[in-house]
Amino acid sequence: MKAEDIKAAALSCPFCRAFTVIESTTSTNDDLLKESRDGAPDGRVLIADQQLGGRGRVGRTWSSPAGVNLYMSVLLRPELEDVAALTPLALVAGLAVAESARATAGVDAQVKWPNDVLIKGRKVAGILMEAAEGRSGRPALVIGIGLNVNQPTFPEELADIATSLTIETGRSFSRSLVAAGLLSRLHARVSQAFEDGIEPVLDEWTALSSTIGRRVRPQDCPEGTALSVDTSGALVVRDDSGEVHRVIAGLIDEL
Ligand code: BTN
């Protein structure tokens, strides 16, 4: 995977302005969080061939073997003062990953609230969004994306819940092209969310969602039917007594 190849494939994508591909690191999110403290610019992108301490949501690890998958992080410094307005960007990122997997590999990728990407119920990508060091009173965030591209198999404990583009299609993919397609899509969707507001993007998220309309079991509220996502990115769930709950964070099971 070479930075020149990714840039050549995504020439018009502004996320290719300050761009680095490295062989190995602990975690691309950790690196960009540190760079944000040193003043790294909006749109800075870091991609690693391997992570030795890849991190997932809720304190989990993210398996990041060398040479097969995509591990990338993007630093955003939006022209906003309202930190809460950034929360739904995690859903926006999930949508962009699902759309680019569909376009690149022809797979039926779906988004599971809040931001997992699934193919036939197995996870092909995950997103870890973290607050970074802002400037002049403005927030900043790092969006970290792990996408399983050419991984041929998974260890026994993951085999039933994880998948890759290769497992789903029987083909292998140029990770540079996958990265270029993903960065372009991410830029398009993030820009749309900032320019036109979040609602149109959430409509697209809902159309690709495995969650909406399903029975779900959230961690911190009763089981029920997932009705929608609201503009803050929360999942709206109606329990069996008819009471409506807003789930704002954590994990859910789709039943
Ligand atoms: C999850 O589903 O739990 C989120 C996984 C996020 C993994 C990516 S890989 C690139 C970036 N660096 C990390 O350490 N984590 C994210």
Side-chain angles (χ1 to χ4, degrees):
M1 195 167 27
K2 292 202 188 93
E4 308 87 80
D5 294 342
I6 300 170
K7 280 182 190 161
L11 270 183
S12 63
C13 174
F15 279 161
C16 289
R17 274 190 309 236
F19 189 97
T20 312
V21 177
I22 53 175
E23 218 162 275
S24 181
T25 186
T26 310
S27 152
T28 55
N29 264 36
D30 288 353
D31 292 345
L32 276 203
L33 289 172
K34 179 175 178 306
E35 286 193 26
S36 75
R37 294 192 283 276
D38 300 336
D42 176 52
R44 161 96 174 116
V45 174
L46 183 64
I47 298 184
D49 195 51
Q50 173 189 34
Q51 296 183 121
L52 301 171
R55 295 187 290 109
R57 291 177 61 229
V58 295
R60 293 176 169 177
T61 58
W62 185 259
S63 164
S64 309
V68 283
N69 297 328
L70 214 50
Y71 317 113
M72 65 160 65
S73 298
V74 180
L75 175 67
L76 294 183
R77 295 188 181 281
E79 307 274 309
L80 281 174
E81 278 163 28
D82 178 13
V83 184
L86 298 180
T87 314
L89 284 184
L91 278 74
V92 175
L95 173 65
V97 175
E99 289 178 322
S100 73
R102 283 169 168 260
T104 313
V107 289
D108 186 16
Q110 291 189 295
V111 281
K112 176 187 171 194
W113 187 90
N115 49 20
D116 290 347
V117 181
L118 310 181
I119 304 174
K120 291 187 233 141
R122 294 201 168 114
K123 183 157 164 171
V124 70
I127 288 153
L128 177 65
M129 197 172 93
E130 298 182 291
E133 184 81 13
R135 284 191 302 226
S136 327
R138 295 228 165 101
L141 70 153
V142 168
I143 299 178
I145 299 171
L147 172 62
N148 300 328
V149 180
N150 291 326
Q151 188 157 343
T153 56
F154 285 88
E156 205 181 322
E157 66 279 11
L158 292 177
D160 284 346
I161 54 171
T163 192
S164 67
L165 298 181
T166 281
I167 290 172
E168 295 301 325
T169 61
R171 293 157 47 204
S172 68
F173 296 87
S174 153
R175 285 178 300 149
S176 300
L177 289 184
V178 174
L182 173 45
L183 285 170
S184 302
R185 203 67 217 139
L186 183 65
H187 186 268
R189 284 300 189 194
V190 167
S191 306
Q192 184 190 10
F194 287 139
E195 284 158 23
D196 304 342
I198 194 72
E199 283 95 342
V201 193
L202 292 181
D203 288 344
E204 301 286 346
W205 185 94
T206 301
L208 284 193
S209 166
S210 64
T211 309
I212 304 307
R214 281 277 284 274
R215 190 160 180 86
V216 295
R217 185 187 300 127
Q219 270 177 328
D220 298 327
C221 79
E223 246 179 72
T225 304
L227 300 179
S228 60
V229 282
D230 69 17
T231 53
S232 71
L235 183 67
V236 181
V237 176
R238 186 179 55 225
D239 71 19
D240 294 339
S241 71
E243 195 177 335
V244 172
H245 306 262
R246 288 178 66 249
V247 185
I248 55 170
L251 302 171
I252 58 157
D253 289 324
E254 293 181 347
L255 305 173

